[in-house]
Amino acid sequence: MRSPDTYSAFMLDYAAGNLPPAMALAANIHRLMSSQGDEAALLWESVREVLLDARGESIQLCKPEEPVADALDIIHTDFSEVRWRRGLSGVKYAPTSARVGQMMRLEPGQNVYSHGHSALEATVVLEGALEDGHGVYKQGEILLADSGFKHRPAAHGNAACTCYVARSRTPFWRLT
């Protein structure tokens, strides 16, 4: 589930260059794969430029922070060639070439155990569709699960679902 406020704050932090590398990569993937993501990023970048210009400050885009090449590498991955490792829940995971975040693969009908979050997690659908009991997310869409959010992600439909997952650092996690 993604509240409009959480999404706006996430994309604002992206445009300001305030996201940690794994989250910035999630935002870049979302932006490159989704017109909604690109429109939100452009809107917040425009607001940033106007505010900085009004203050007389130089306008510096956060290009150095944006791992666009890493996002493109992940988007264009041949998922059948990835060396997946099965996690405790049976779901498959793989590291990314960017060494931040990870990819997750759910086979048709497979789900992750029901769980809650103590910090922000960003999941971008790379192929297939993901459902979590709150909605269905298609290719390029981002699911932002913030503190207190509980869900049970599952592959939706008859195809495998591959996602990029980034998590904020947190001292603990919990099963619900």
Side-chain angles (χ1 to χ4, degrees):
M1 177 187 217
R2 173 179 78 211
S3 79
D5 291 343
T6 301
Y7 181 71
S8 292
F10 181 81
M11 294 306 289
L12 172 59
D13 280 341
Y14 166 74
N18 292 332
L19 291 176
M23 292 292 182
L25 183 54
N28 263 311
I29 293 168
H30 172 56
R31 182 179 191 173
L32 291 168
M33 293 182 74
S34 159
S35 60
Q36 178 195 18
D38 192 45
E39 289 169 12
L42 288 171
L43 170 71
W44 287 115
E45 287 168 352
S46 296
V47 169
R48 180 195 62 219
E49 291 173 16
V50 168
L51 291 174
L52 290 176
D53 191 42
R55 290 174 153 180
E57 297 178 21
S58 64
I59 299 170
Q60 270 190 333
L61 297 178
C62 55
K63 294 290 186 207
E65 320 296 346
E66 295 178 348
V68 175
D70 292 336
L72 289 170
D73 284 347
I74 291 169
I75 291 167
H76 296 297
T77 297
D78 179 351
F79 301 115
S80 67
E81 297 292 321
V82 171
R83 296 187 63 190
W84 297 101
R85 300 184 90 158
R86 191 171 308 278
L88 292 175
S89 66
V91 175
K92 296 175 186 171
Y93 295 94
T96 65
S97 58
R99 304 217 191 301
V100 294
Q102 64 183 349
M103 290 187 292
M104 173 181 74
R105 185 170 182 90
L106 298 160
E107 297 302 327
Q110 188 176 27
N111 61 50
V112 177
Y113 52 84
S114 180
H115 62 281
H117 292 271
S118 56
L120 184 65
E121 177 182 84
T123 304
V124 184
V125 179
L126 301 170
E127 70 172 356
L130 181 75
E131 64 179 310
D132 71 347
H134 300 282
V136 175
Y137 304 87
K138 297 177 181 163
Q139 191 173 19
E141 293 183 334
I142 191 167
L143 164 63
L144 297 171
D146 52 5
S147 182
F149 181 73
K150 296 178 184 177
H151 65 153
R152 185 175 186 171
H156 179 76
N158 296 325
C161 176
T162 306
C163 301
Y164 170 77
V165 181
R167 293 178 185 89
S168 292
R169 292 185 181 251
T170 179
F172 65 91
W173 57 275
R174 63 179 183 258
L175 296 176
T176 55

